[in-house]
Amino acid sequence: MKTSTQNTILITGGAGFIGSNLCEYFLGLGHKVICLDNFSTGHRHNLKDFISNSNFKLIEGDIRNSSDCALAVEGVDYVLHQAALGSVPRSINDPITTNDVNVTGFLNMLVACRDAKVKRFVYAASSSTYGDSQGLPKVEDVIGKPLSPYAITKYVNELYAEIFSKTYGLETIGLRYFNVFGRKQDPKGAYAAVIPKFVMQLMNYESPVINGDGNYSRDFTYIDNVIQMNELAITTQKPEAINTVYNTAFGDRNTLNNLVEYLKKYLSEFDPKIADVEIVYGANRAGDIPHSLASIEKAKTILGYNPKYSLQEGLKVAVSWYWDNLK
Ligand SMILES: NC(=O)c1ccc[n+]([C@@H]2O[C@H](COP(=O)([O-])OP(=O)(O)OC[C@H]3O[C@@H](n4cnc5c(N)ncnc54)[C@H](O)[C@@H]3O)[C@@H](O)[C@H]2O)c1
C-alpha cells in the first residue's frame, strides 16, 4: 500500500478500542474504511468523530455469520481483523462464546478473504499465546502452553492463518499485542482493562485493587505504537515479512505498582486530591502470568518498527484524554 494510493481497508471490530483508533488513522490518510462490528463490546460513540466521513462505511454485522463476512470484504484491499471477545476472565466464565467469536468468526473471515482475493489479512494476535513459557523477553518462536480459553483461541488463529497462507496463498500477518492502552479504551464493565479501570477509579477517589502484591510486570503498549505496526504490516513489500507473527509492544516492562504510581502522579496534576487515594491489594487472578516482556527485534529488523511511546509517555497523553472525555 502506498499512502498516495487510495485503498479500501476493512477493519473488523472497528467500533472497539483498537479498531476505532485504526479507522480514524487510516481515514486520516485518505483511505476508504469499512467497519464491521456487532457492538457487543464496541460503542457507537467511538465512531462519532468520523461517522459522517464520506470515505467511511459502517456494516453492523457479526463475524460468526459468514454472509456478513462475505458482504464486508467485497472490493476490499486489506483487512485489519480486530473483532474478538477479549479478556481472560470472560473466556474462563464463558469459553463457548469466546470460541465461537474468536475461532469460528476468525475462520469465517479467512474464508471470506480467500474467496474475495484480498491482498493481505492482518490480524490481532495476542501475547497470551506465550502461555506458561518462562523466558524473558518473549521471542516469537518460543511459546508455552496456553493458560486460558482465550489464549487457546488466539493461538488457533495463528495456526489457521498459517494454513491459509500455505494452502490458499492468502497473505497474512499476525500482530501479538501486549497490554495495549490509550484513548477510547473502555473503562466500564466486568472485563475492563486495568489502565482505564484504574483511571476511572482514581478520578472518583476510589481505591484501585491490584491483584497480587503489585510486582507482576507487563509490557504496556500505547495505541500509537500499535497503529504503527498495523500500518507497517499492510505496507511491507518484503516477501520474508509476510505469513508470520510479530510481537507488538514497546519492549520494556513495568510492574503494576509502577503503573499505579505513574497514574496517581499524572492524574494529580489535574486534581491534587488523587495523590491521597490508597491502593488495595487482592488475590492473584486465575490465568495471569507473573511477567511479560516482548522482544521487538523481529519487528524492528524486518518491518522497521520504531515505537515512539514508552509507558510513561503514553500515559501522559492517555490520562489527559480520559480527563477531558470521562470526567
Ligand atoms: N487491548 C489489548 O490489550 C489486547 C491485547 C491483545 C490482543 N488484543 C486483541 O485486539 C483486538 C481488539 O481488542 P480491543 O482491546 O480493541 O477490544 P474491544 O472489545 O474494544 O474491541 C473488539 C471489537 O470487536 C467487536 N466484536 C466482538 N465480537 C464481534 C462479532 N461477533 N462480530 C463483529 N464484531 C465483534 C466488538 O463489538 C468491539 O467493537 C481483539 O482481537 C483482542 O483480542 C487486545
Side-chain angles (χ1 to χ4, degrees):
M1 184 187 78
K2 296 190 192 78
T3 39
S4 54
T5 313
Q6 188 185 52
N7 285 291
T8 301
I9 304 171
L10 167 64
I11 301 176
T12 69
F17 158 47
I18 298 171
S20 62
N21 276 289
L22 290 169
C23 288
E24 189 160 26
Y25 180 77
F26 286 103
L27 285 167
L29 293 183
H31 298 293
K32 290 192 172 180
V33 170
I34 300 169
C35 161
L36 171 64
D37 206 298
N38 71 348
F39 293 96
S40 56
T41 60
H43 300 286
R44 278 171 213 285
H45 60 73
N46 284 342
L47 309 176
K48 71 176 169 24
D49 292 337
F50 49 82
I51 189 90
S52 53
N53 186 321
S54 59
N55 281 332
F56 180 72
K57 183 175 159 191
L58 171 65
I59 299 178
E60 204 166 332
D62 197 309
I63 57 169
R64 288 169 291 184
N65 182 343
S66 53
S67 56
D68 287 353
C69 299
L71 176 74
V73 295
E74 268 175 30
V76 162
D77 297 299
Y78 299 97
V79 172
L80 298 176
H81 178 65
Q82 311 302 308
L85 287 177
S87 162
V88 164
R90 186 206 312 270
S91 77
I92 291 171
N93 292 339
D94 183 1
I96 301 273
T97 312
T98 296
N99 190 80
D100 282 349
V101 174
N102 295 11
V103 177
T104 306
F106 187 89
L107 186 54
N108 285 338
M109 281 302 303
L110 282 176
V111 168
C113 290
R114 177 200 66 187
D115 293 350
K117 299 189 170 42
V118 304
K119 291 180 184 149
R120 194 170 293 164
F121 178 82
V122 175
Y123 62 97
S126 167
S127 60
S128 64
T129 294
Y130 289 104
D132 66 359
S133 115
Q134 298 288 319
L136 291 179
K138 307 292 183 199
V139 284
E140 284 83 347
D141 289 348
V142 185
I143 61 168
K145 286 203 167 163
L147 291 170
S148 66
Y150 171 74
I152 292 177
T153 68
K154 288 291 174 175
Y155 181 48
V156 170
N157 288 176
E158 294 188 8
L159 297 174
Y160 267 126
E162 193 177 345
I163 288 301
F164 269 65
S165 301
K166 285 184 180 151
T167 312
Y168 307 111
L170 176 67
E171 290 191 4
T172 70
I173 292 183
L175 303 178
R176 284 186 191 155
Y177 298 160
F178 281 67
N179 293 80
V180 188
F181 71 96
R183 56 191 177 273
K184 297 188 180 178
Q185 191 170 24
D186 195 348
K188 300 196 184 112
Y191 303 120
V194 66
I195 291 183
K197 187 163 97 183
F198 283 4
V199 168
M200 273 295 272
Q201 288 170 330
L202 287 167
M203 287 196 312
N204 293 321
Y205 311 126
E206 289 164 16
S207 292
V209 180
I210 292 183
N211 301 312
D213 64 5
N215 289 319
Y216 276 17
S217 61
R218 295 288 178 265
D219 196 334
F220 294 105
T221 309
Y222 186 57
I223 182 66
D224 287 11
N225 300 333
V226 172
I227 291 173
Q228 185 190 138
M229 278 295 285
N230 275 274
E231 184 171 24
L232 290 168
I234 53 177
T235 51
T236 185
Q237 297 299 326
K238 292 183 181 172
E240 72 271 25
I242 55 171
N243 305 334
T244 189
V245 295
Y246 296 91
N247 287 342
T248 298
F250 181 68
D252 190 14
R253 69 188 167 105
N254 280 273
T255 64
L256 271 291
N257 284 328
N258 291 149
L259 170 70
V260 173
E261 183 195 320
Y262 298 142
L263 286 176
K264 285 178 73 171
K265 180 173 159 204
Y266 299 136
L267 281 165
S268 55
E269 286 168 17
F270 295 92
D271 176 353
K273 281 200 284 182
I274 291 175
D276 301 328
V277 178
E278 300 219 338
I279 309 303
V280 172
Y281 292 88
N284 279 326
R285 213 174 52 166
D288 267 354
I289 48 165
H291 302 290
S292 183
L293 168 67
S295 161
I296 55 170
E297 286 313 306
K298 184 175 174 184
K300 278 181 160 173
T301 312
I302 302 180
L303 297 177
Y305 175 54
N306 178 21
K308 300 279 190 296
Y309 291 85
S310 64
L311 170 65
Q312 290 198 62
E313 284 153 352
L315 278 183
K316 283 182 206 162
V317 195
V319 158
S320 166
W321 186 89
Y322 276 120
W323 191 267
D324 292 343
N325 288 275
L326 299 180
K327 189 66 186 150

